Amino acid sequence: MLFGKQKPENETVVGLITSALRRDIAFGELPPDKKLKIEELRMRYGGSGHSVREALTLLSAEGLVEASSQRGFRVASATQEDLEDIVRLRAQIECMALEWSLEHGDITWEGRVIAAHHSLAHAQEQVKSAPQDRALEWDAAARIFHVRLIEACGSPRLIAIQQKLYDQSRRFRLAALREGVLDFAALKVIQQSLTDAVPKRDVQLALQCLRKEIEFDLNG
Amino acid sequence: MLFGKQKPENETVVGLITSALRRDIAFGELPPDKKLKIEELRMRYGGSGHSVREALTLLSAEGLVEASSQRGFRVASATQEDLEDIVRLRAQIECMALEWSLEHGDITWEGRVIAAHHSLAHAQEQVKSAPQDRALEWDAAARIFHVRLIEACGSPRLIAIQQKLYDQSRRFRLAALREGVLDFAALKVIQQSLTDAVPKRDVQLALQCLRKEIEFDLNG
DNA sequence: GACTCCAAAAATATTGAATATTTTGTGGCA
DNA sequence: TGCCACAAAATATTCAATATTTTTGGAGTC
């Protein structure tokens, strides 16, 4: 169980296109509500029409793309309302998962959380000075940190749900990064407290910190 | 907002195949772990290889089908472990949604819940005597009842999550029906209490009943 | 008898071109 | 302006063919 088989999406053409699309949507290169025409995407990512179409189908199930019958696909819209919905849900669901993780996680899990936090702290230091260049690493590190926090919850379906919600929230966070409205100092403090609470198994503190950290996406 | 546009899946070929597959998986005609070969499915449901494939992709995102890279698709397995995971998650998530519904739902929502319960009670009376013939109606009524309960929660994403989890749980409930191990009398009482609690806005009672009702799937 | 290695067979993944259907855009006409 | 018909664009679907990958069934070896 140490090396859980996480299927690498990069093996198949459809998987490659899906990953590329997910990234480009998250980083705003494909802005919200943009029409996604199969032909254009073929030019951009390669692959056949069918492969592109299947990737879009997949992403629409993840909520990153909206599919309207007979009228093709478009990038999911990203209104303030969407953001609030996502943040509210993430707060609830991720806290639930963290609570279960704190119940079931063993000592090696604590280690993985601390390691992930270490990487995240490092990446966050760097992204402060060079937002454009380091965004990718920071985003990846943050993602892994959140995955680690909940990966011991024991529910594969809960992990999958968190993953999807997280992917929906990335866009907003990365947009905030571009606009330079992120309070890195405060973020750092919260993440540190959160990580410290894990080995102490301080459920109350951990949940409170995680909720705050997630609600950082609401700007301010 | 009265008539929320729920896209009818039956418009497109892919949608038709998806619906048919979902139904056949739920009702056990395609048993857990069964290999799903494109060719066979084409013979059974019609449509081209691509349409079938896309339907399978969609269902794998819903958790009803498992896709392994380069090795095709199979019906998702349905172990006791799976059942427990699904029930546990549904209890948490559906209760959360119901709580929010009780906060935001207006008088017309209460009406829709009561109406759905009325239909469900009727279908449940009938399915008791003719499990095989009335399973479809009963299943549909139960589904609508649960949708109604949470539809006022105000979070489209939460509704989508519940839907997917519910679809994953249907298989187990319908299997229990076939085996005749369902305690309809107890179920009826709980559903009645649950419905009664809605207009009273008795959150505690409602959540407690809903949790019990969901945990009925654990057999016993 | 159990095992490894290899080629044939089966299944899956991917693509291209062609057709059908639907939506969208445009101009005439009342 | 509002409406209808028709053309153009986009999408949905299918068929047929090729490329990859996995599985299968021995042949030979220890």
Side-chain angles (χ1 to χ4, degrees):
Chain A
M1 253 300 207
L2 261 178
F3 301 94
K5 62 161 180 182
Q6 48 190 18
K7 41 187 161 186
E9 231 175 13
N10 321 10
E11 296 281 327
T12 155
V13 173
V14 173
L16 277 171
I17 299 175
T18 307
S19 302
L21 269 169
R22 215 194 324 263
R23 170 174 45 77
D24 288 347
I25 291 175
F27 281 81
E29 295 188 41
L30 295 172
D33 296 311
K34 179 178 174 67
K35 190 90 175 59
L36 294 170
K37 287 183 206 154
I38 307 277
E39 272 308 313
E40 290 178 14
L41 298 180
R42 282 194 52 185
M43 308 274 272
R44 182 164 181 166
Y45 302 102
S48 76
H50 293 297
S51 305
V52 171
R53 191 183 160 70
E54 206 175 300
L56 289 172
T57 303
L58 217 39
L59 289 172
S60 83
E62 290 182 23
L64 262 58
V65 162
E66 282 167 8
S68 30
S69 180
Q70 249 83 26
R71 244 173 300 175
F73 302 86
R74 59 183 59 241
V75 177
S77 58
T79 64
Q80 179 69 19
E81 204 178 347
D82 289 318
L83 174 58
E84 284 165 12
D85 188 24
I86 293 167
V87 165
R88 185 174 39 156
L89 268 187
R90 267 193 68 205
Q92 286 292 120
I93 283 172
E94 227 162 292
C95 283
M96 184 196 314
L98 176 57
E99 191 170 346
W100 293 354
S101 269
L102 285 166
E103 282 174 28
H104 301 124
D106 59 12
I107 188 82
T108 71
W109 167 66
E110 295 178 2
R112 290 198 299 277
V113 170
I114 293 168
H117 174 256
H118 185 67
S119 298
L120 172 58
H122 180 70
Q124 211 156 252
E125 278 303 316
Q126 296 207 305
V127 83
K128 269 199 292 193
S129 44
Q132 304 304 328
D133 301 329
R134 299 296 178 175
L136 210 133
E137 289 94 323
W138 176 65
D139 174 64
R143 184 197 180 91
I144 291 178
F145 180 56
H146 282 264
V147 169
R148 291 286 172 269
L149 280 171
I150 68 155
E151 73 182 355
C153 73
S155 168
R157 288 168 186 80
L158 184 52
I159 291 176
I161 291 171
Q162 188 272 344
Q163 203 103 325
K164 280 179 194 164
L165 285 174
Y166 188 88
D167 278 341
Q168 290 188 55
S169 74
R170 283 167 75 201
R171 285 198 288 175
F172 297 94
R173 187 163 38 266
L174 287 166
L177 173 68
R178 280 195 300 277
E179 294 165 18
V181 295
L182 276 176
D183 184 351
F184 284 109
L187 201 52
K188 182 178 174 181
V189 171
I190 292 180
Q191 288 163 348
Q192 185 67 56
S193 309
L194 172 50
T195 307
D196 290 342
V198 166
K200 290 190 213 150
R201 308 278 166 164
D202 186 336
V203 177
Q204 287 303 317
L205 180 61
L207 296 192
Q208 192 183 323
C209 290
L210 180 56
R211 178 176 289 274
K212 263 196 209 166
E213 209 255 5
I214 290 170
E215 287 173 351
F216 246 78
D217 284 347
L218 286 174
N219 269 346
Chain B
M1 255 296 208
L2 262 178
F3 302 93
K5 61 162 181 183
Q6 49 190 18
K7 42 186 162 186
E9 229 175 14
N10 319 11
E11 297 280 330
T12 155
V13 172
V14 173
L16 276 172
I17 299 175
T18 307
S19 302
L21 269 168
R22 214 194 326 261
R23 168 173 47 76
D24 288 348
I25 291 175
F27 281 82
E29 294 187 42
L30 294 171
D33 298 312
K34 180 177 173 68
K35 190 90 175 59
L36 294 170
K37 288 183 205 153
I38 306 277
E39 271 308 312
E40 290 178 15
L41 297 180
R42 283 194 52 185
M43 308 272 273
R44 183 163 180 166
Y45 301 102
S48 75
H50 293 295
S51 305
V52 171
R53 192 186 159 69
E54 208 175 299
L56 289 172
T57 303
L58 216 40
L59 289 172
S60 84
E62 289 182 24
L64 262 57
V65 161
E66 282 167 7
S68 28
S69 181
Q70 249 84 26
R71 245 173 300 176
F73 302 86
R74 60 182 59 242
V75 178
S77 59
T79 65
Q80 180 67 22
E81 204 178 347
D82 288 317
L83 174 57
E84 286 166 11
D85 187 25
I86 293 167
V87 166
R88 186 174 38 154
L89 269 186
R90 267 193 68 204
Q92 286 292 121
I93 283 173
E94 227 162 292
C95 282
M96 185 197 312
L98 176 57
E99 192 172 346
W100 292 354
S101 269
L102 285 166
E103 283 174 28
H104 301 125
D106 59 12
I107 189 80
T108 71
W109 168 66
E110 293 178 5
R112 290 197 299 276
V113 170
I114 293 168
H117 174 256
H118 186 66
S119 299
L120 172 58
H122 180 71
Q124 209 157 254
E125 277 304 315
Q126 297 206 305
V127 85
K128 268 199 290 193
S129 44
Q132 303 304 329
D133 301 329
R134 298 297 179 174
L136 210 132
E137 289 93 325
W138 175 63
D139 174 64
R143 184 200 179 88
I144 291 178
F145 179 55
H146 282 264
V147 168
R148 290 286 173 269
L149 280 171
I150 69 155
E151 72 182 356
C153 73
S155 168
R157 288 167 186 81
L158 185 53
I159 292 175
I161 292 171
Q162 189 271 346
Q163 203 103 325
K164 280 179 193 164
L165 284 174
Y166 188 89
D167 278 340
Q168 290 188 55
S169 75
R170 284 167 74 200
R171 285 198 289 176
F172 297 94
R173 187 162 38 263
L174 288 166
L177 173 67
R178 279 195 301 277
E179 294 165 17
V181 296
L182 276 176
D183 184 352
F184 284 109
L187 201 52
K188 181 178 173 179
V189 172
I190 291 181
Q191 288 163 349
Q192 186 66 57
S193 308
L194 172 50
T195 307
D196 290 343
V198 165
K200 291 191 214 148
R201 307 281 166 160
D202 186 336
V203 177
Q204 286 303 315
L205 179 62
L207 296 192
Q208 192 183 325
C209 290
L210 179 56
R211 177 174 291 271
K212 265 195 208 166
E213 209 254 6
I214 290 170
E215 286 172 353
F216 246 77
D217 286 346
L218 286 174
N219 270 347

